[in-house]
Amino acid sequence: MTARDHRTVGAPLALLVLYTLFIAAITLTPQQMGTGPDTLIGHLLDLFAAHRETAWLTYERVEKLGNVAMFIPFGFLAALHFGRGRWWLGFLFGASFSAAIEIFQGTVLTQTRFATLSDLVTNTLGAGIGALLGLCCMAVWPARTARAGADRELAAV
């Protein structure tokens, strides 16, 4: 059994490139997402604050959860691209990409963005979760050669 299922080499890489561009568009532009009271996020935070069960979802917590969630697909797609033997590179590349974002925000976008260690940690955590999910999926999905043999056995019956 090989470390990579060659049928899925192109798709995760193409999706990873597109998703990387999506993250870059969100994080590497001078404008932040609207967080004022008349924005979607503002309305959601008001809704959360109005209920005792969700009042703990403050802006800071939603932002941290959002950072984790944003990098889960990145780590997942990177792990699928690199395969079973090098799935951990999804975590490493996620941490590196997050560090590059924070450096760019802290040096180039200083007027409108803030580089924080918290963002680096939460983004990296998300990439790590995604990479582990990718590894779990690859462990559950049999490689093509294993499936082909099982299909031949079923056809012979």
Side-chain angles (χ1 to χ4, degrees):
M1 195 182 299
T2 63
R4 287 172 82 166
D5 186 351
H6 291 287
R7 290 173 306 145
T8 60
V9 170
L13 179 59
L15 291 172
L16 179 61
V17 167
L18 291 173
Y19 197 73
T20 301
L21 292 173
F22 169 73
I23 292 174
I26 291 174
T27 59
L28 299 177
T29 56
Q31 290 297 95
Q32 289 186 351
M33 288 181 59
T35 57
D38 287 332
T39 64
L40 176 62
I41 294 173
H43 291 300
L44 282 173
L45 290 172
D46 288 343
L47 179 68
F48 294 152
H51 297 84
R52 185 174 25 142
E53 295 81 13
T54 55
W56 63 273
L57 283 168
T58 61
Y59 175 78
E60 291 79 19
R61 289 183 177 144
V62 169
E63 181 187 25
K64 286 181 186 355
L65 290 171
N67 285 345
V68 171
M70 181 170 59
F71 270 78
I72 288 174
F74 183 91
F76 179 79
L77 291 169
L80 290 183
H81 171 69
F82 290 115
R84 294 178 190 188
R86 296 182 301 162
W87 65 271
W88 52 270
L89 287 173
F91 170 75
L92 185 66
F93 275 73
S96 300
F97 184 39
S98 179
I101 290 169
E102 296 305 315
I103 290 168
F104 188 80
Q105 287 179 346
T107 58
V108 176
L109 302 175
T110 57
Q111 299 297 318
T112 57
R113 296 284 191 152
F114 303 98
T116 65
L117 183 59
S118 170
D119 285 353
L120 176 64
V121 170
T122 54
N123 293 347
T124 302
L125 177 63
I129 291 169
L132 283 171
L133 289 173
L135 176 63
C136 291
C137 287
M138 288 184 285
V140 170
W141 296 330
R144 182 180 183 139
T145 56
R147 261 195 307 223
D151 289 344
R152 276 189 234 116
E153 288 177 17
L154 287 176
V157 173

